[in-house]
Amino acid sequence: MSLKIEVIKDKILSENYFVLRNITYDLTRQDGEVVRHKREVYDRGNGATILLYNREKQSVLLIRQFRIATWVNGNVDGRLIEACAGLLDDDEPEVCIRKEAIEETGYEVGEVRKVFELYMSPGGVTEIVHFFIAEYNDAQRANNGGGVEDEDIEVLELPFRQALAMVASGEIRDGKAVILLQYLQTSGLMD
């Protein structure tokens, strides 16, 4: 049974970088009771992320960059170790992730495998993230990576086991990276 939702108000609060909306709605619960909610919803578009891995070297490629939101929330230097990612804009997820991989890591990826689509923060953000993995090798390195325009990205090639240890120690705290590293661990691809 689907829930009944009646929108009372949908007001745009900001269209500065993305769209922030204030929505008031009545939700008819399964028991028939109507409950009014007021929520702010942040629409930043959908995204894609990829973890590049090398079975022979037993390594993965991650990036490190400054993220203002983490700095505001107590990350002392604001830099975060992450999986390569980007917003889709008008691209299909696979097209997006291929562009992001070359821009951020410097590697042109071959065959990619989509593993899932996830809402990462459904309480207030509309974004769906498309998750991919792909094998890489040294011959696929086209440039030094590091991002474009205003980005300052450090490329990290890490031993796979070290990356998993960094998740356990809290050094890697990007949800995308953690999910993809754990997926790679359970997939048997690095055995």
Side-chain angles (χ1 to χ4, degrees), residues 75-134:
N75 183 9
V76 177
D77 74 355
R79 295 185 321 145
L80 193 67
I81 297 173
E82 303 179 51
C84 173
L87 293 175
L88 299 184
D89 297 321
D90 293 324
D91 290 330
E92 291 298 314
E94 187 175 323
V95 171
C96 169
I97 209 55
R98 288 179 182 284
K99 278 197 244 182
E100 292 296 330
I102 192 90
E103 290 172 3
E104 293 185 2
T105 71
Y107 284 80
E108 289 182 349
V109 296
E111 183 180 338
V112 298
R113 180 193 306 180
K114 186 171 184 179
V115 291
F116 29 69
E117 300 173 13
L118 302 174
Y119 288 98
M120 296 300 289
S121 190
V125 180
T126 62
E127 181 182 37
I128 293 173
V129 178
H130 302 262
F131 285 73
F132 293 86
I133 60 170

Side-chain angles (χ1 to χ4, degrees), residues 83 164 167 172-183:
L164 291 174
V167 170
I172 295 177
R173 297 189 290 167
D174 169 53
K176 303 177 312 301
V178 171
I179 290 167
L180 285 168
L181 287 165
Q182 290 179 341
Y183 174 83

Side-chain angles (χ1 to χ4, degrees), residues 39-57:
R39 298 290 187 268
E40 289 182 357
V41 176
Y42 194 52
D43 185 353
R44 49 171 287 148
N46 295 324
T49 185
I50 191 166
L51 179 63
L52 301 177
Y53 66 97
N54 183 305
R55 282 190 253 209
E56 185 179 320
K57 291 168 55 173

Side-chain angles (χ1 to χ4, degrees), residues 4-188:
K4 181 181 173 198
I5 301 157
E6 181 183 349
V7 175
I8 307 303
K9 178 181 85 172
D10 185 348
K11 179 181 178 185
I12 293 178
L13 300 176
S14 173
E15 291 180 282
N16 185 27
Y17 192 58
F18 300 116
V19 178
L20 179 62
R21 297 162 52 187
N22 181 282
I23 301 174
T24 302
Y25 60 96
D26 286 342
L27 173 70
T28 303
R29 300 183 340 177
Q30 292 181 22
D31 64 5
E33 181 183 355
V34 177
V35 181
R36 180 157 290 177
H37 290 176
K38 288 183 173 186
R39 298 290 187 268
E40 289 182 357
V41 176
Y42 194 52
D43 185 353
R44 49 171 287 148
N46 295 324
T49 185
I50 191 166
L51 179 63
L52 301 177
Y53 66 97
N54 183 305
R55 282 190 253 209
E56 185 179 320
K57 291 168 55 173
Q58 288 290 297
S59 61
V60 293
L61 287 176
L62 297 169
I63 61 167
R64 182 180 358 234
Q65 66 181 317
F66 178 78
R67 295 298 198 178
I68 186 68
T70 73
W71 181 78
V72 168
N73 198 23
N75 183 9
V76 177
D77 74 355
R79 295 185 321 145
L80 193 67
I81 297 173
E82 303 179 51
C84 173
L87 293 175
L88 299 184
D89 297 321
D90 293 324
D91 290 330
E92 291 298 314
E94 187 175 323
V95 171
C96 169
I97 209 55
R98 288 179 182 284
K99 278 197 244 182
E100 292 296 330
I102 192 90
E103 290 172 3
E104 293 185 2
T105 71
Y107 284 80
E108 289 182 349
V109 296
E111 183 180 338
V112 298
R113 180 193 306 180
K114 186 171 184 179
V115 291
F116 29 69
E117 300 173 13
L118 302 174
Y119 288 98
M120 296 300 289
S121 190
V125 180
T126 62
E127 181 182 37
I128 293 173
V129 178
H130 302 262
F131 285 73
F132 293 86
I133 60 170
E135 239 179 313
Y136 78 94
N137 61 57
D138 293 338
Q140 292 170 293
R141 184 120 199 214
N143 62 57
N144 290 330
V148 295
E149 299 167 4
D150 64 345
E151 295 177 319
D152 183 19
I153 294 173
E154 178 184 359
V155 181
L156 305 173
E157 184 174 35
L158 300 171
F160 179 54
R161 294 287 166 216
Q162 179 184 346
L164 291 174
M166 292 167 74
V167 170
S169 72
E171 194 173 347
I172 295 177
R173 297 189 290 167
D174 169 53
K176 303 177 312 301
V178 171
I179 290 167
L180 285 168
L181 287 165
Q182 290 179 341
Y183 174 83
L184 192 58
Q185 180 182 30
T186 61
S187 71

